[in-house]
Amino acid sequence: MDYDVLILGGGIVGCSIAYELSKYSLNIALIEKDYDIANDVAFINSSIVSDGINCKSIFAARLEYMGNNIIRELSSKFNINFQKKDHLIISDDDQSEKRLLNLYEKALSRGIKNIGILNERDVLKIEPDINVKVKKAIYSKNTGIISPYDLAISYGEIAFDNGVNFKLEEEVMDIQSVTKGFNVVTNKNKFTCSMVINTTPKDNYSIDCTNKRQSKKNYINYFLIDNISNEKYNHNVISMLDKSLGMIHLIPIQNNQMVIEITTNDKISYDYGLEIIRKYIGKIRENNINEFYQSTYYYDDVIIDNSLIDKGYVKIIEKHLDQITMTPAIAKIVCETIVNNLKCVLKKDFVDRRREFYRFRDMSNDDRNKIIKVNKKYGKIICYCEEVTEGEIVDSIRRPLGARTIEGIKRRTGATFGNCRGSRCLYKVSNILAREINANMTDIVKNCKNSNILISRVKEFDSI
Ligand SMILES: Cc1cc2nc3c(=O)[nH]c(=O)nc-3n(C[C@H](O)[C@H](O)[C@H](O)COP(=O)(O)OP(=O)(O)OC[C@H]3O[C@@H](n4cnc5c(N)ncnc54)[C@H](O)[C@@H]3O)c2cc1C
């Protein structure tokens, strides 16, 4: 066998499973078709860490509740910023009040603690600028926000340091069940392994032929809004129960920005989305809307499919809206299943630590001076919006599983994530990447093949 376990897909779920399994005496590889791990969800750098209140099934609620607790532990272990934000779920008419009270009863029966019901007066004390009539609200103190990239990249780096073989730029074409284990066919290789954990969204591999599922897709519409300090709501995560739509989530994130997520059964237009937002948060200047993005998700209860575990195949199905919160719990459960099947033991030399890194914008001046004395590159700001230095960019490239694309640098350091969207620093960041990986500027890509930042040299000049 080439490997004991092959993990397919290097998103947050694949990386988290790689991390959990790297604690054991197993020969593991992870196959990812892109240049980098955690390549999805490039739109925002904040995810809600939920507590299971809004889950359809008990299993999903348990995964969220468990994941919520693990994320808090991991954020201090991995040095990831977890911002505690309370959560208000608001009903504004009789119909939605009934739905809200149902949610609350369900949450209590599932053992979710630190939640309560508030009336309009209590809500206004917490959020005085609220624009809708409040009938009742659920108040949860269990929630927060976290950067999904930081979590995914931390998982990946530690797994890499503990021996997981990351095969990037390699696409899985088929998974075939054979007498003993599997053949995993990629565009470059054919591997044999005892167990496969498939986190890719594809379901047309040979192994899946008898195992296809049909789920109903819903839509999620994201608006990223700038300069929200001049607008309303800047304290808690607020969700509105809408009688015709699913939910509208207002998520304050860093840099006075807010993400507004509208879940709908059908695809909606940008204008209709804006109309909904205005209904809930009042006037909003259109030039403060930084981005609009639509995606599909499943509001489903089956997340881990181990119906073929007797063969050695586990599949993480569907993209759930709260998957980031569930991820640490999914990883632990899948890991337990694999360990029980392969009868392996914990490694004695597992290092449960991410290599040191510096975030200039979060450091005191004293600490900044100390690090600049050691490495002058930390004294040179490249991205002014996010205060990212050359030292951080170089480190993000030289680290284990280092960045090879502009998006990779952006996710690891925050460079080009600011209000100017890289218009002032993209050129400098590309230049550093080209220098560090010894490539031509024209070879530097945004995130995938053919996404080159520069198309060609300007003929008249000798250098770019
Ligand atoms: C805009 C947006 C905002 C979100 N916000 C939140 C939030 O606030 N809170 C929350 O909890 N969740 C949120 N989610 C959901 C969550 O981010 C996603 O569900 C999560 O990233 C999915 O992770 P994953 O590892 O399962 O899948 P993916 O990230 O899709 O990973 C699958 C990986 O497999 C790779 N792959 C695919 N096919 C192949 C192949 N054939 N061979 C090799 N590799 C392959 C892909 O390149 C990818 O890297 C959000 C999602 C989106 C899109």
Side-chain angles (χ1 to χ4, degrees), residues 12-13 32-33 40 48 172 222 319 321-324:
I12 190 165
V13 174
E32 164 57 51
K33 70 174 169 48
D40 275 9
I48 307 178
V172 177
Y222 296 88
K319 298 291 159 236
L321 196 56
D322 290 335
Q323 199 156 335
I324 303 293

Side-chain angles (χ1 to χ4, degrees), residues 138-391:
I138 300 176
Y139 188 45
S140 165
K141 294 192 167 189
N142 300 316
T143 44
I145 58 173
I146 196 167
S147 156
Y149 313 132
D150 275 355
L151 183 59
I153 288 167
S154 308
Y155 271 138
E157 285 185 359
I158 301 176
F160 177 91
D161 274 345
N162 285 287
V164 175
N165 189 345
F166 281 77
K167 295 181 173 297
L168 302 177
E169 291 178 70
E170 188 153 348
E171 183 167 359
V172 177
M173 310 308 284
D174 200 15
I175 312 166
Q176 298 150 356
S177 173
V178 288
T179 326
K180 274 192 176 173
F182 296 90
N183 285 337
V184 173
V185 184
T186 72
N187 57 343
K188 296 182 180 169
N189 290 297
K190 187 174 181 179
F191 300 108
T192 53
C193 64
S194 305
M195 298 196 76
V196 171
I197 303 163
N198 180 9
T199 77
T200 72
K202 274 171 97 173
D203 64 356
N204 55 353
Y205 304 123
S206 302
I207 182 87
D208 293 320
C209 288
T210 52
N211 204 29
K212 278 199 178 130
R213 295 178 64 249
Q214 288 296 323
S215 278
K216 190 180 168 311
K217 276 184 190 170
N218 290 357
Y219 287 86
I220 179 140
N221 309 275
Y222 296 88
F223 285 83
L224 177 64
I225 305 190
D226 291 338
N227 300 323
I228 206 72
S229 58
N230 301 325
E231 310 285 349
K232 294 170 182 176
Y233 313 136
N234 207 10
H235 312 292
N236 305 290
V237 174
I238 301 178
S239 302
M240 312 280 189
L241 288 180
D242 188 283
K243 52 174 176 290
S244 47
L245 304 159
M247 267 205 194
I248 290 99
H249 302 283
L250 315 179
I251 312 161
I253 59 171
Q254 61 212 32
N255 299 339
N256 297 330
Q257 289 183 310
M258 179 183 270
V259 175
I260 301 190
E261 295 180 0
I262 308 170
T263 58
T264 50
N265 292 331
D266 302 307
K267 207 169 180 167
I268 60 165
S269 67
Y270 167 87
D271 287 337
Y272 184 49
L274 210 54
E275 207 179 291
I276 298 165
I277 292 178
R278 288 191 171 127
K279 175 179 157 200
Y280 285 104
I281 74 169
K283 232 182 179 175
I284 190 134
R285 276 166 294 214
E286 210 172 331
N287 57 1
N288 278 349
I289 296 179
N290 186 314
E291 255 184 84
F292 169 64
Y293 174 83
Q294 265 178 339
S295 171
T296 50
Y297 76 101
Y298 297 90
Y299 184 53
D300 208 341
D301 47 1
V302 185
I303 291 128
I304 304 169
D305 178 357
N306 53 14
S307 55
L308 295 180
I309 187 65
D310 54 323
K311 289 193 170 159
Y313 184 65
V314 180
K315 187 168 182 184
I316 315 302
I317 30 179
E318 324 299 24
K319 298 291 159 236
H320 195 283
L321 196 56
D322 290 335
Q323 199 156 335
I324 303 293
T325 312
M326 295 176 182
T327 290
I330 293 174
K332 287 221 180 270
I333 292 169
V334 171
C335 176
E336 212 177 289
T337 311
I338 302 294
V339 166
N340 286 340
N341 271 268
L342 289 178
K343 309 253 175 309
C344 48
V345 291
L346 278 167
K347 274 184 205 158
K348 288 205 172 83
D349 55 355
F350 175 72
V351 181
D352 200 0
R353 208 179 43 244
R354 195 178 174 191
R355 290 191 207 178
E356 191 108 45
F357 62 92
Y358 302 99
R359 288 265 153 80
F360 188 81
R361 62 177 170 273
D362 299 332
M363 290 164 84
S364 67
N365 276 343
D366 274 356
D367 287 344
R368 286 173 175 178
N369 285 332
K370 275 187 210 150
I371 182 79
I372 293 168
K373 256 192 198 152
V374 178
N375 182 348
K376 286 202 168 36
K377 289 191 167 73
Y378 282 92
K380 191 170 167 193
I381 300 268
I382 300 292
C383 168
Y384 284 93
C385 301
E386 296 289 307
E387 288 185 89
V388 181
T389 63
E390 182 176 0

Side-chain angles (χ1 to χ4, degrees), residues 368-427:
R368 286 173 175 178
N369 285 332
K370 275 187 210 150
I371 182 79
I372 293 168
K373 256 192 198 152
V374 178
N375 182 348
K376 286 202 168 36
K377 289 191 167 73
Y378 282 92
K380 191 170 167 193
I381 300 268
I382 300 292
C383 168
Y384 284 93
C385 301
E386 296 289 307
E387 288 185 89
V388 181
T389 63
E390 182 176 0
E392 291 162 89
I393 294 173
V394 170
D395 175 63
S396 76
I397 302 164
R398 293 187 186 171
R399 293 180 71 75
L401 281 178
R404 291 293 174 269
T405 63
I406 297 298
E407 279 294 324
I409 293 175
K410 175 177 169 180
R411 282 190 211 110
R412 287 166 177 80
T413 65
T416 79
F417 236 134
N419 279 350
C420 87
R421 287 291 189 227
S423 61
R424 289 188 291 175
C425 64
L426 182 60
Y427 167 75

